[in-house]
Amino acid sequence: MKTFSAKPHEVQRDWYVVDANEQTLGRLAVEIARRLRGKHKPEYTPHVDTGDYIVVVNAAKIRVTGNKGTDKVYYRHSGHPGGVYETSFEKMQQRAPGRVLQLAVKGMLPKGPLGYAMIKKLKIYAQGSHPHSAQMPKTLDLSTAQPMKRAA
C-alpha cells in the first residue's frame, strides 16, 4: 500500500463558525490553527493546504488570564531608527478587535506561501454577525475542546 498524498484540487473544504465569547486567547488560537492547517483530517498532507475555512465571531470578547491584559505587549516597527511601537492587549482589543487573535494564529502557521494561503481562510468579526451565511457554515464548539495529547 502506498502512502496517501492529498492533491490540492481534491481537498474538500468546509466552513465553520466559532464563537469566541469568553474564550481564552491561546487555547482558541491553537485549535483554530490546527483546523486551518487541516491536521484534524485523516488526509492531512504537510505540503498541501488541506484546512477548512474558519469564521470567528465575538472576537472583541476574547479574554486572557492573569495580568496579561495590561502586561502582554505587542511590538511593531516603522522601519526607521528608533521606530518601535508597543501596544498592550487591552489597547489592541479596543483599537482593532480580532487582530490579537489573528496574530496569535498567524504565529502558529507555517511561514511562506503555504502559511499565507492558510491565514486567508480565517475570517474574524468583532460582533456576533458575519456575512458568510451563504456558505452555510457549521457551528464548531471549541469551549469543550481539550488540548491535544502528545504521544510519550
Side-chain angles (χ1 to χ4, degrees):
M1 175 182 253
K2 288 190 173 188
T3 302
F4 176 78
S5 183
K7 315 294 185 293
H9 64 277
E10 294 174 352
V11 176
Q12 175 67 37
R13 291 192 175 87
D14 295 323
W15 284 74
Y16 291 101
V17 174
V18 175
D19 188 7
N21 189 16
E22 293 301 315
Q23 296 271 350
T24 308
L25 174 64
R27 293 181 187 274
L28 181 64
V30 165
E31 193 58 33
I32 290 173
R34 191 170 152 266
R35 291 186 176 267
L36 284 173
R37 189 115 198 250
K39 285 195 153 190
H40 64 291
K41 295 182 177 181
E43 62 266 9
Y44 168 71
T45 307
H47 64 277
V48 178
D49 184 5
T50 56
D52 296 324
Y53 288 88
I54 305 288
V55 178
V56 180
V57 294
N58 292 323
K61 298 176 184 172
I62 290 177
R63 65 181 178 87
V64 288
T65 57
N67 295 330
K68 291 186 205 119
T70 53
D71 295 349
K72 186 166 180 58
V73 180
Y74 294 92
Y75 296 98
R76 55 193 169 82
H77 199 283
S78 67
H80 296 285
V84 176
Y85 293 94
E86 58 181 47
T87 311
S88 71
F89 173 82
E90 290 175 345
K91 280 188 182 178
M92 185 86 88
Q93 278 292 78
Q94 289 172 358
R95 204 171 290 158
R99 179 133 349 125
V100 170
L101 181 63
Q102 184 178 10
L103 288 172
V105 171
K106 187 176 180 183
M108 297 176 189
L109 293 176
K111 302 340 177 228
L114 185 63
Y116 304 148
M118 289 176 186
I119 196 70
K120 287 178 186 172
K121 295 184 302 183
L122 176 63
K123 317 293 182 186
I124 302 175
Y125 299 97
Q127 304 305 320
S129 61
H130 62 86
H132 302 287
S133 57
Q135 281 74 27
M136 294 182 291
K138 302 170 193 151
T139 304
L140 188 62
D141 184 24
L142 298 182
S143 61
T144 59
Q146 295 294 320
M148 274 183 52
K149 301 267 193 289
R150 293 188 181 236

